[in-house]
Amino acid sequence: SATAIGPRTILTAKHCFTSGGKLVSIDGTKVQQGKLTELATDAVSVEVSGIAFTHIAKIGGRPLQGDRVRWSGSPGGVTDLFRTGYIVRSWTDELMLDAQIFGGDSGAGLFDDEGRLIAVVTAARAMNTVSDNNLYRIQFAVAVPIR
């Protein structure tokens, strides 16, 4: 998953390119991957040729706890699923979301209520808690804020 942030530039998760991964197509169009520029801990911009984007995301302000967010990703290989969630914790370098995130959502742009790009989906984390001899598993999505 990725978001167009310029006519020939996308924003996505850096870990999508570890282990030799390379961008070869966008929406079925063959592209050439150019320069990767690290923007945050797990966020990169990627220059591409072979395609030009006409819809470019506008960058938003600082995300805050309680903000509603939206994204479209490809969990488990199912393309273009639109979902919503909420920011439950906001640090300067990471957001914790009450949201369903799965493999294939990495790199998806996270948008605020005004449709502005505020973060990039990067991971899911689970916490286990035992209470009254019952095990509870709480899963949170993680995103990296964009400035």
Side-chain angles (χ1 to χ4, degrees):
S1 298
T3 303
I5 58 170
R8 289 186 169 74
T9 307
I10 62 169
L11 176 69
T12 191
K14 180 181 177 182
H15 74 260
C16 295
F17 293 94
T18 57
S19 304
K22 194 144 183 104
L23 181 63
V24 294
S25 72
I26 296 175
D27 289 335
T29 301
K30 288 185 180 186
V31 297
Q32 300 295 317
Q33 175 184 316
K35 181 181 175 185
L36 270 75
T37 303
E38 189 167 348
L39 302 176
T41 305
D42 191 20
V44 292
S45 65
V46 183
E47 295 175 13
V48 295
S49 59
I51 195 169
F53 305 109
T54 55
H55 293 85
I56 298 167
K58 292 182 178 147
I59 306 298
R62 183 172 183 263
L64 301 173
Q65 185 176 25
D67 286 352
R68 181 172 47 183
V69 292
R70 296 167 174 82
W71 71 99
S72 182
S74 300
V78 179
T79 59
D80 301 325
L81 291 185
F82 179 78
R83 284 156 293 150
T84 62
Y86 290 88
I87 297 173
V88 295
R89 193 147 194 201
S90 178
W91 294 281
T92 57
D93 62 342
E94 184 176 88
L95 304 175
M96 187 179 282
L97 311 172
D98 183 7
Q100 296 284 329
I101 299 289
F102 302 97
D105 283 326
S106 291
L110 209 60
F111 293 85
D112 64 14
D113 279 342
E114 283 77 45
R116 299 173 302 182
L117 180 65
I118 59 169
V120 176
V121 174
T122 60
R125 292 201 188 121
M127 299 185 309
N128 295 323
T129 302
V130 177
S131 177
D132 296 329
N133 295 323
N134 291 312
L135 175 64
Y136 297 95
R137 184 173 180 86
I138 303 169
Q139 184 166 338
F140 293 98
V142 178
V144 176
I146 299 304
R147 292 171 205 23

